[in-house]
Amino acid sequence: MAGVIRDPFGRSLDYVRISVTDRCNFRCRYCMPAEGVAWIPHERIMTYEDILFLCEVLTGLGVRRVRFTGGEPFVRKGFVPFLAEVRNRFPHLAMAVTTNGSFLEAWADRLPALGLDSVNVSLDTLDPSKFTAMTAMGGIDQVLRGIDAVLAAGSVPVKLNTVVVRSVNAAEIEDLVLFAGRKGVLLRFIEFMPLDGQVWSREEYVPAEEIRGRLPAPDAWLPDEAPTQGPNGPARYYVHERTGQRVGIISAVSDHFCGRCNRLRVTATGEIRSCLFRDDSVPIMEALRMRDASALQALILAAAAAKPREGGTGLPKETDSPGYRHMSRIGG
Ligand code: SAM
Ligand code: SF4
């Protein structure tokens, strides 16, 4: 069995998030500026064959879990057949997808055969007009139908991700928890991360402690240490003492989880980013296109070696503004 990639601080990196596209059919206000982001030309994006080769080298280095993300992964033509090919070639690789949910209805019946660990759907509000305001173009009905279709198809656990943005959905936390409880799905709230100065603002940021205080009957939620994503997952979980419902809060800003970080990220243009909050990256496209496994291994290990102990994820100082890292290009 392959060893595990370790960084200089002893963290084992067995989880890789791979972005299959920078493109998206939404413009969520916490992710992209209202005018959108210029799309990267197709020829600079990893082909599916490139990604399959990458998976081969990653699994050879002991990576056990991949998550495909974007942009919106389902906007890329051939995404579901690609997932089927990954499953076919790597039967033991744990595989998950993060999506805005808008294409799920069309693909739901194909998902059970893929052996996915989870489909994480971003759902920030249940209010149709707020949903359209939050995503700049999306329609909530389509996403809700998609969630129901995946649940009806069975076999694939659905998780919901909600980025809390004060003026939009802070007052809706209770409703979202009740909705997730009714659907029987795990909901995770995510602190609005200051990645992109064009979209982030201090006033819109809601800290994890406040999110926790806004859960319905907050005292009924007890810390739950049982791991959901393996021991290094970034969320802190709470379980309702009476109903047993669990919710997670991902506090990337107020309580860094750097010590537990187990991941690398690969952008759609084939750059490994060892930390979401750093701009340095290791380009792997040439090694990928040459199908040079040993060069690729060396680059992956170099990226792991460059992983900082901490990403400096805290709130920017009043005088600072965050940089211009577009989450849609990194993959979240
Ligand atoms: N399009 C897919 C989606 O929306 O789920 C996948 C890509 S999206 C970049 C991945 C995740 O990043 C989503 O859960 C999204 O909510 C989250 N995200 C984007 N910008 C964020 C920000 N500034 N702070 C926290 N989470 C963010
Ligand atoms: Fe698109 Fe996902 Fe970013 Fe929303 S969060 S704009 S759906 S990539």
Side-chain angles (χ1 to χ4, degrees):
M1 140 104 197
V4 175
I5 307 171
R6 286 198 183 275
D7 74 9
F9 308 102
R11 293 170 295 197
S12 45
L13 309 180
D14 62 355
Y15 172 39
V16 179
R17 298 176 65 105
I18 301 175
S19 174
V20 300
T21 181
D22 60 308
R23 296 175 189 223
C24 188
N25 56 327
F26 286 5
R27 306 224 185 306
C28 300
R29 52 178 287 183
Y30 48 76
C31 179
M32 279 192 201
E35 65 278 15
V37 175
W39 301 141
I40 296 170
H42 285 295
E43 57 277 12
R44 288 188 47 213
I45 300 293
M46 291 186 287
T47 64
Y48 285 136
E49 278 303 324
D50 291 337
I51 301 174
L52 287 162
F53 180 67
L54 173 62
C55 289
E56 193 177 313
V57 173
L58 287 172
T59 51
L61 285 170
V63 167
R64 285 187 288 230
R65 252 173 12 108
V66 292
R67 172 175 299 280
F68 295 108
T69 175
E72 172 48 43
F74 285 89
V75 301
R76 181 157 179 186
K77 207 166 157 230
F79 179 56
V80 171
F82 160 73
L83 292 177
E85 187 56 26
V86 177
R87 175 50 67 237
N88 180 32
R89 290 209 210 168
F90 310 99
H92 303 297
L93 182 63
M95 179 164 89
V97 170
T98 299
T99 172
N100 65 26
S102 57
F103 298 93
L104 283 177
E105 191 180 17
W107 291 106
D109 59 343
R110 298 277 303 273
L111 301 187
L114 300 173
L116 295 172
D117 265 18
S118 75
V119 172
N120 291 13
V121 184
S122 297
L123 182 69
D124 302 311
T125 172
L126 297 168
D127 176 311
S129 53
K130 280 188 181 170
F131 187 92
T132 304
M134 185 74 131
T135 60
M137 41 190 54
I140 191 167
D141 290 343
Q142 205 182 3
V143 174
L144 295 179
R145 284 199 308 272
I147 292 169
D148 285 341
V150 178
L151 291 173
S155 318
V156 188
V158 173
K159 294 182 191 169
L160 301 179
N161 289 338
T162 299
V163 178
V164 183
V165 177
R166 186 174 298 286
S167 67
V168 181
N169 59 1
E172 238 192 296
I173 287 174
E174 182 163 345
D175 289 347
L176 285 157
V177 171
L178 297 176
F179 172 82
R182 284 197 301 278
K183 296 280 176 200
V185 301
L186 180 66
L187 169 64
R188 283 117 42 95
F189 293 104
I190 306 175
E191 285 182 338
F192 185 8
M193 298 184 219
L195 285 168
D196 183 343
Q198 278 175 290
V199 301
W200 191 82
S201 84
R202 184 174 298 273
E203 294 70 41
E204 294 288 22
Y205 163 74
V206 181
E209 207 183 323
E210 182 179 337
I211 297 173
R212 191 179 168 192
R214 286 176 177 263
L215 298 178
D219 293 341
W221 298 87
L222 309 174
D224 178 12
E225 305 302 340
T228 293
Q229 295 193 330
N232 295 323
R236 290 196 191 284
Y237 289 94
Y238 299 90
V239 62
H240 192 280
E241 59 183 358
R242 206 164 31 76
T243 64
Q245 184 182 353
R246 298 174 80 221
V247 297
I249 302 180
I250 300 180
S251 52
V253 184
S254 63
D255 173 17
H256 316 169
F257 43 76
C258 302
R260 291 177 285 140
C261 185
N262 62 341
R263 61 199 57 194
L264 292 171
R265 292 180 167 80
V266 183
T267 67
T269 50
E271 284 160 69
I272 306 181
R273 295 179 74 118
S274 57
C275 175
L276 185 54
F277 291 89
R278 295 286 179 95
D279 288 324
D280 44 316
S281 60
V282 174
I284 58 169
M285 197 61 121
E286 200 180 323
L288 269 183
R289 297 246 154 117
M290 303 286 288
R291 301 289 184 263
D292 185 339
S294 51
L296 188 53
Q297 272 185 5
L299 291 169
I300 295 165
L301 294 176
K307 193 170 170 76
R309 184 194 289 272
E310 285 195 357
T313 54
L315 281 180
K317 296 191 194 75
E318 292 286 351
T319 46
D320 286 351
S321 92
Y324 290 93
R325 301 181 191 100
H326 298 304
M327 195 68 137
S328 59
R329 285 197 174 164
I330 305 172

